[in-house]
Amino acid sequence: MALTTLDPITALIVIDLQSGLMGWPFAHPIGDIVAPPAALGAAFRRRGLPVALVNVDGSSPGRTEQPPRHGNPIGGALPDGWTDLIPELDRQPSDIVVTKRTRGAFASTDLESLLRARGVTQVVIAGVATAGGVESTARQAYEACFNVTLAIDAMTDARPHAHAYSVEHVFPRLGETGSTQAIINLVKRTNAHELA
């Protein structure tokens, strides 16, 4: 499904763009992935729309056959600043900031209730990793009955095949996909009030 519209109160959710993950070997240059969510955040804020910045501090404690690909964040102390949101996101006092301890941003946080309290009916999702935190958050948002849009040029994964599979086969079943610029163009036409 092509990108068609944004609801009057749509929130941006940016997943795991934090200091501790910036050195990981992603499929796309991380600098190319950081700029689009920053541009989306600025556009959403100008229109008075909610921006949610999500970081990760740990992982689900259940047993798995494979260990986390980049080390176990629970298995030892994280370096200082690991969860710090990157400065390019330009965190503002009005932003929703949540720390998750699962792949998806809804399961272990109060993100859903914070969005509902603001009247949000649709979410735009960006960040890392495509087949991890982004996809899990998109699935949870879809199951919570939010309309979902995924900014496909504003995400990446350490595994190119996983990124491609999510973008091509999973995301079209959870919502609509589009470029950052196409989403910004729709944001400019939303009914939310523009801030000075």
Side-chain angles (χ1 to χ4, degrees):
M1 180 183 291
L3 182 59
T4 59
T5 191
L6 294 180
D7 294 350
I9 305 180
T10 297
L12 172 66
I13 302 174
V14 180
I15 303 295
D16 299 350
L17 287 181
Q18 62 191 68
S19 297
L21 300 179
M22 290 302 96
W24 285 13
F26 290 113
H28 305 89
I30 196 64
D32 295 347
I33 301 306
V34 167
L40 285 166
F44 272 67
R45 292 182 192 108
R46 275 193 300 275
R47 297 295 290 175
L49 295 170
V51 173
L53 304 176
V54 179
N55 63 4
V56 62
D57 186 14
S59 62
S60 299
R63 288 187 303 273
T64 60
E65 290 185 15
Q66 293 182 352
R69 287 184 175 6
H70 298 287
N72 185 354
I74 293 180
L78 296 171
D80 288 342
W82 198 86
T83 60
D84 292 349
L85 296 165
I86 59 171
E88 292 88 343
L89 295 178
D90 192 28
R91 177 181 173 179
Q92 297 297 308
S94 60
D95 293 346
I96 298 166
V97 179
V98 295
T99 297
K100 65 185 177 77
R101 290 172 178 81
T102 55
R103 283 185 185 242
F106 288 90
S108 64
T109 72
D110 57 353
L111 180 58
E112 181 177 355
S113 63
L114 292 168
L115 296 176
R116 299 271 186 219
R118 289 162 174 79
V120 172
T121 57
Q122 182 168 359
V123 295
V124 172
I125 305 172
V128 297
T130 307
V134 173
E135 182 178 315
S136 294
T137 299
R139 287 178 182 275
Q140 292 168 358
Y142 175 79
E143 290 167 358
C145 299
F146 288 102
N147 292 316
V148 176
T149 298
L150 294 124
I152 58 173
D153 60 342
M155 62 183 69
T156 190
D157 198 289
R159 300 163 296 150
H161 64 281
H163 171 83
Y165 188 85
S166 293
V167 169
E168 295 167 18
H169 301 286
V170 178
F171 293 164
R173 298 180 62 88
L174 300 176
E176 298 181 333
T177 60
S179 70
T180 294
Q181 190 57 57
I183 294 167
I184 288 173
N185 292 342
L186 289 175
V187 166
K188 291 176 181 177
R189 297 197 299 260
T190 63
N191 292 330
H193 72 281
E194 188 155 7
L195 299 178

